[in-house]
mmCIF file of all heavy atoms in Angstrom:
data_model
loop_
_atom_site.group_PDB
_atom_site.id
_atom_site.type_symbol
_atom_site.label_atom_id
_atom_site.label_comp_id
_atom_site.label_asym_id
_atom_site.label_seq_id
_atom_site.Cartn_x
_atom_site.Cartn_y
_atom_site.Cartn_z
ATOM 1 N N THR L 76 -18.750 12.403 9.176
ATOM 2 C CA THR L 76 -17.441 12.358 9.857
ATOM 3 C C THR L 76 -17.384 13.240 11.104
ATOM 4 O O THR L 76 -17.797 14.407 11.064
ATOM 5 C CB THR L 76 -16.340 12.729 8.841
ATOM 6 O OG1 THR L 76 -15.069 12.741 9.503
ATOM 7 C CG2 THR L 76 -16.549 14.098 8.202
ATOM 8 N N ASN L 77 -16.928 12.674 12.213
ATOM 9 C CA ASN L 77 -16.648 13.457 13.426
ATOM 10 C C ASN L 77 -15.343 14.226 13.191
ATOM 11 O O ASN L 77 -14.331 13.636 12.830
ATOM 12 C CB ASN L 77 -16.424 12.550 14.635
ATOM 13 C CG ASN L 77 -17.708 12.072 15.266
ATOM 14 O OD1 ASN L 77 -18.793 12.408 14.806
ATOM 15 N ND2 ASN L 77 -17.576 11.283 16.330
ATOM 16 N N GLN L 78 -15.374 15.527 13.410
ATOM 17 C CA GLN L 78 -14.152 16.327 13.237
ATOM 18 C C GLN L 78 -13.976 17.251 14.449
ATOM 19 O O GLN L 78 -13.996 18.476 14.347
ATOM 20 C CB GLN L 78 -14.221 17.115 11.933
ATOM 21 C CG GLN L 78 -14.154 16.234 10.678
ATOM 22 C CD GLN L 78 -12.846 15.451 10.556
ATOM 23 O OE1 GLN L 78 -11.799 15.914 11.014
ATOM 24 N NE2 GLN L 78 -12.892 14.271 9.967
ATOM 25 N N GLN L 114 -20.329 16.883 8.475
ATOM 26 C CA GLN L 114 -19.284 16.785 9.510
ATOM 27 C C GLN L 114 -19.781 17.321 10.838
ATOM 28 O O GLN L 114 -20.622 18.235 10.867
ATOM 29 C CB GLN L 114 -18.053 17.585 9.064
ATOM 30 C CG GLN L 114 -18.292 19.065 8.955
ATOM 31 C CD GLN L 114 -17.796 19.670 7.632
ATOM 32 O OE1 GLN L 114 -17.453 18.973 6.689
ATOM 33 N NE2 GLN L 114 -17.773 20.968 7.574
ATOM 34 N N CYS L 115 -19.285 16.750 11.919
ATOM 35 C CA CYS L 115 -19.538 17.303 13.243
ATOM 36 C C CYS L 115 -18.283 17.977 13.693
ATOM 37 O O CYS L 115 -17.265 17.320 13.921
ATOM 38 C CB CYS L 115 -19.943 16.197 14.244
ATOM 39 S SG CYS L 115 -19.841 16.817 15.958
ATOM 40 N N PRO L 116 -18.314 19.321 13.860
ATOM 41 C CA PRO L 116 -17.114 20.056 14.226
ATOM 42 C C PRO L 116 -16.975 20.218 15.756
ATOM 43 O O PRO L 116 -16.084 20.902 16.213
ATOM 44 C CB PRO L 116 -17.359 21.425 13.589
ATOM 45 C CG PRO L 116 -18.850 21.605 13.674
ATOM 46 C CD PRO L 116 -19.458 20.233 13.557
ATOM 47 N N HIS L 117 -17.898 19.581 16.502
ATOM 48 C CA HIS L 117 -17.973 19.829 17.951
ATOM 49 C C HIS L 117 -17.071 18.881 18.728
ATOM 50 O O HIS L 117 -16.603 17.871 18.228
ATOM 51 C CB HIS L 117 -19.416 19.633 18.423
ATOM 52 C CG HIS L 117 -20.407 20.426 17.608
ATOM 53 N ND1 HIS L 117 -21.322 19.859 16.767
ATOM 54 C CD2 HIS L 117 -20.540 21.777 17.471
ATOM 55 C CE1 HIS L 117 -22.026 20.817 16.169
ATOM 56 N NE2 HIS L 117 -21.572 21.992 16.566
ATOM 57 N N GLY L 118 -16.837 19.243 19.970
ATOM 58 C CA GLY L 118 -16.084 18.393 20.875
ATOM 59 C C GLY L 118 -17.003 17.483 21.653
ATOM 60 O O GLY L 118 -18.217 17.658 21.629
ATOM 61 N N ASP L 121 -19.550 19.178 24.039
ATOM 62 C CA ASP L 121 -20.409 20.250 23.538
ATOM 63 C C ASP L 121 -21.907 19.902 23.570
ATOM 64 O O ASP L 121 -22.733 20.763 23.349
ATOM 65 C CB ASP L 121 -19.997 20.627 22.104
ATOM 66 C CG ASP L 121 -18.660 21.337 22.060
ATOM 67 O OD1 ASP L 121 -18.186 21.775 23.142
ATOM 68 O OD2 ASP L 121 -18.068 21.463 20.979
ATOM 69 N N GLY L 122 -22.185 18.614 23.795
ATOM 70 C CA GLY L 122 -23.586 18.198 23.882
ATOM 71 C C GLY L 122 -24.371 18.347 22.594
ATOM 72 O O GLY L 122 -25.574 18.556 22.617
ATOM 73 N N CYS L 123 -23.683 18.248 21.448
ATOM 74 C CA CYS L 123 -24.400 18.387 20.164
ATOM 75 C C CYS L 123 -25.156 17.092 19.836
ATOM 76 O O CYS L 123 -24.947 16.062 20.477
ATOM 77 C CB CYS L 123 -23.413 18.710 19.041
ATOM 78 S SG CYS L 123 -22.371 17.317 18.570
ATOM 79 N N GLU L 124 -25.971 17.163 18.837
ATOM 80 C CA GLU L 124 -26.740 15.985 18.396
ATOM 81 C C GLU L 124 -26.094 15.287 17.207
ATOM 82 O O GLU L 124 -26.612 14.299 16.702
ATOM 83 C CB GLU L 124 -28.172 16.420 18.035
ATOM 84 C CG GLU L 124 -29.021 16.823 19.221
ATOM 85 C CD GLU L 124 -29.144 15.704 20.249
ATOM 86 O OE1 GLU L 124 -29.374 14.560 19.866
ATOM 87 O OE2 GLU L 124 -29.011 15.995 21.466
ATOM 88 N N CYS L 125 -24.977 15.854 16.730
ATOM 89 C CA CYS L 125 -24.384 15.274 15.531
ATOM 90 C C CYS L 125 -23.162 14.356 15.777
ATOM 91 O O CYS L 125 -22.900 13.466 14.998
ATOM 92 C CB CYS L 125 -24.019 16.358 14.504
ATOM 93 S SG CYS L 125 -23.358 17.894 15.123
ATOM 94 N N ARG L 126 -22.458 14.574 16.873
ATOM 95 C CA ARG L 126 -21.241 13.781 17.102
ATOM 96 C C ARG L 126 -21.603 12.312 17.303
ATOM 97 O O ARG L 126 -22.356 11.957 18.217
ATOM 98 C CB ARG L 126 -20.468 14.327 18.307
ATOM 99 C CG ARG L 126 -19.165 13.604 18.584
ATOM 100 C CD ARG L 126 -18.382 14.283 19.693
ATOM 101 N NE ARG L 126 -17.376 13.419 20.231
ATOM 102 C CZ ARG L 126 -16.173 13.213 19.662
ATOM 103 N NH1 ARG L 126 -15.840 13.869 18.544
ATOM 104 N NH2 ARG L 126 -15.289 12.386 20.194
ATOM 105 N N LYS L 127 -21.048 11.461 16.454
ATOM 106 C CA LYS L 127 -21.265 10.003 16.613
ATOM 107 C C LYS L 127 -20.729 9.588 17.983
ATOM 108 O O LYS L 127 -19.673 10.097 18.388
ATOM 109 C CB LYS L 127 -20.539 9.233 15.503
ATOM 110 C CG LYS L 127 -21.081 9.517 14.114
ATOM 111 C CD LYS L 127 -20.288 8.784 13.025
ATOM 112 C CE LYS L 127 -18.958 9.466 12.734
ATOM 113 N NZ LYS L 127 -18.184 8.838 11.656
ATOM 114 N N LYS L 129 -24.037 9.691 18.428
ATOM 115 C CA LYS L 129 -25.369 10.251 18.205
ATOM 116 C C LYS L 129 -25.649 10.178 16.697
ATOM 117 O O LYS L 129 -24.736 10.380 15.888
ATOM 118 C CB LYS L 129 -25.401 11.732 18.666
ATOM 119 C CG LYS L 129 -25.282 11.934 20.172
ATOM 120 C CD LYS L 129 -26.674 12.138 20.775
ATOM 121 C CE LYS L 129 -26.593 12.436 22.263
ATOM 122 N NZ LYS L 129 -26.102 13.781 22.553
ATOM 123 N N MET L 132 -25.995 13.045 12.221
ATOM 124 C CA MET L 132 -25.475 13.196 10.839
ATOM 125 C C MET L 132 -26.172 12.222 9.893
ATOM 126 O O MET L 132 -26.451 12.567 8.737
ATOM 127 C CB MET L 132 -23.959 13.029 10.803
ATOM 128 C CG MET L 132 -23.235 14.197 11.487
ATOM 129 S SD MET L 132 -21.457 14.177 11.185
ATOM 130 C CE MET L 132 -20.938 12.824 12.232
HETATM 131 ZN ZN1 ZN W 21 -21.697 17.890 16.524
#
Side-chain angles (χ1 to χ4, degrees):
T76 178
N77 278 1
Q78 292 297 330
Q114 65 230 11
C115 166
H117 309 112
D121 290 346
C123 73
E124 289 302 316
C125 38
R126 182 174 163 81
K127 295 176 284 183
K129 292 261 183 74
M132 291 191 286

